[in-house]
Amino acid sequence: IYGNAAYNTFFGAQGSTEMLFSDMLGDNQLFFSANLFMDLRNSNFSAAYFYLPERTDFVFEGFHNAGTLLYGQYGPFFRFTQWGALTEAQYPFNKFRRMNVALKWLNLSREDLDGIVPTVQHVVLMPSLSYTFDDVMWGYTSPVDGMRYSLTLNASPKLGSDGLFFYGLDLDYRHYIRFWRDYSFAFRFAGGGSFGPNAQRYALGGVANWITISPIYLIGNDQDYAFLTLAMPMRGYGFGAEIGTKYMLTNVEFRYPLIKQFATGLLPFNFNNILGTVFFDAGTAWNSNADFRGTTRDDQGLIVTRDILFGTGLGARMYFLFFLLKFDVAWAYNLQGFSTPQYYFSLGEDF
């Protein structure tokens, strides 16, 4: 059980808590989490029950999530809310292969806090099916050998006048080749598409858990808060460099030991196992196949990229105070030259 509480004279009561209850064998688990902010309408909370004694695992969850965001870069403040329930079953065929089947019921709303724009609401019933293979072996900060991939199908039939109709397919394939013990190549291909009158969107660009980025407003419609998918890493660009209902992304990395141990007399600790990486990213996101153009000509008649993005660079990874820190510097490439460098400080493991 974890929890904290606070009171702010402007925002009022705030706090968060997480509680996990389990039997002795871990076959039945109950998890509860809450993040209180001002009042229940602006807070996030969920409760989940895990049934794990058999080969097939089941989870049943109810949730409420809310966030206050600018709608567009200069728009008014809106409160985006999603609440509903989820049930999911996971069946392992063997140690490396599994199938997941899920059914999610969602209620979405977008409310203008100034009360000028009418509230928009949607009801979504979304089944999904995914197949996963994973036999990778992990290194210090990321996988170093093996292969993993997943294929996911999802759909949302239209339920009444407030319903949304879309269906989609997503693929994520990763392969790792280890050599000389501490060196490896990492290859990744990811792609997906959403179709139908309410097709959902993918935002290509940037890295996950980017801690030095200035605010970028990617919410373009009332469904993005729940369904917008961030396609990354696409280094050399900022968040949402391209946004569309379909995307493809390829990443190639060479990972190597940069510094085994670094010690100085000025600091009371050492830096150990700093890993380096050299990478190349290529991706695109688009809406209409008829309007897609990979390249175009600039004002001087030279061929440059238009809808396809290229980026390359290098980086370092290290653990510091229980956090995995990542630093990358990358340059966008348009077939005629490189951009000014883009710097990324982020947290978490690599793909």
Side-chain angles (χ1 to χ4, degrees):
I1 297 177
Y2 163 83
N4 63 69
Y7 182 82
N8 185 287
T9 56
F10 180 79
F11 292 107
Q14 302 175 59
S16 64
T17 184
E18 294 182 355
M19 294 182 286
L20 176 64
F21 303 93
S22 173
D23 59 18
M24 292 294 293
L25 298 178
D27 291 338
N28 297 272
Q29 299 179 8
L30 182 63
F31 177 74
F32 174 78
S33 68
N35 188 354
L36 179 64
F37 182 73
M38 298 178 65
D39 54 31
L40 291 180
R41 291 184 305 171
N42 295 286
S43 301
N44 302 326
F45 43 88
S46 67
Y49 169 68
F50 298 86
Y51 180 77
L52 308 176
E54 308 295 338
R55 181 167 185 169
T56 301
D57 295 335
F58 294 92
V59 59
F60 306 91
E61 181 182 4
F63 55 87
H64 176 279
N65 297 314
T68 302
L69 302 172
L70 279 176
Y71 191 63
Q73 187 170 359
Y74 304 106
F77 275 101
F78 283 84
R79 178 168 50 234
F80 292 85
T81 305
Q82 53 176 317
W83 62 273
L86 166 72
T87 180
E88 182 175 0
Q90 180 183 106
Y91 179 81
F93 297 103
N94 53 41
K95 185 177 181 180
F96 306 113
R97 305 173 188 271
R98 68 178 184 270
M99 183 77 74
N100 288 63
V101 180
L103 181 63
K104 180 183 289 187
W105 171 56
L106 271 176
N107 294 269
L108 310 175
S109 69
R110 187 202 69 193
E111 179 186 359
D112 181 7
L113 298 184
D114 295 326
I116 300 175
V117 180
T119 299
V120 177
Q121 295 181 321
H122 298 290
V123 179
V124 177
L125 185 66
M126 188 171 69
S128 64
L129 175 68
S130 65
Y131 175 80
T132 303
F133 174 87
D134 189 345
D135 70 350
V136 300
M137 181 176 66
W138 276 79
Y140 194 60
T141 64
S142 60
V144 296
D145 201 10
M147 179 175 61
R148 64 198 319 191
Y149 61 84
S150 65
L151 180 66
T152 302
L153 300 169
N154 62 73
S156 171
K158 186 176 179 64
L159 300 177
S161 58
D162 295 331
L164 300 174
F165 174 62
F166 62 87
Y167 56 96
L169 172 67
D170 293 280
L171 171 67
D172 192 329
Y173 173 85
R174 311 174 186 192
H175 189 62
Y176 309 92
I177 301 174
R178 185 183 187 185
F179 62 101
W180 297 342
R181 182 179 176 181
D182 296 326
Y183 298 79
S184 65
F185 283 106
F187 304 91
R188 177 178 181 240
F189 172 80
S194 185
F195 310 91
N198 305 115
Q200 303 307 308
R201 308 196 305 161
Y202 302 87
L204 178 69
V207 298
N209 302 317
W210 193 354
I211 60 177
T212 57
I213 183 64
S214 59
I216 299 296
Y217 305 99
L218 300 179
I219 303 299
N221 59 54
D222 49 273
Q223 307 153 41
D224 279 347
Y225 183 77
F227 296 115
L228 181 70
T229 299
L230 300 179
M232 53 183 58
M234 183 67 236
R235 289 155 287 196
Y237 302 86
F239 285 140
E242 287 191 350
I243 298 179
T245 57
K246 294 170 278 290
Y247 88 100
M248 289 192 296
L249 175 63
T250 299
N251 309 105
V252 181
E253 290 193 4
F254 170 57
R255 299 168 178 171
Y256 61 95
L258 181 62
I259 298 174
K260 287 289 189 178
Q261 187 175 51
F262 177 72
T264 70
L266 298 177
L267 301 175
F269 50 81
N270 299 336
F271 296 97
N272 301 315
N273 294 321
I274 301 177
L275 305 182
T277 180
V278 179
F279 55 82
F280 173 78
D281 302 330
T284 182
W286 73 99
N287 292 307
S288 170
N289 294 336
D291 296 333
F292 177 83
R293 297 291 184 273
T295 61
T296 187
R297 291 187 179 272
D298 62 12
D299 296 337
Q300 300 177 345
L302 301 175
I303 297 177
V304 295
T305 57
R306 195 188 82 162
D307 293 334
I308 297 179
L309 307 182
F310 296 116
T312 187
L314 47 89
R317 286 89 175 93
M318 63 173 290
Y319 280 100
F320 181 70
L321 298 179
F322 310 105
F323 296 100
L324 176 55
L325 303 180
K326 298 191 297 183
F327 169 72
D328 293 304
V329 55
W331 294 264
Y333 179 65
N334 68 352
L335 301 182
Q336 297 300 324
F338 292 91
S339 69
T340 56
Q342 177 85 264
Y343 300 96
Y344 304 89
F345 289 92
S346 59
L347 301 174
E349 68 273 2
D350 288 308
F351 69 84

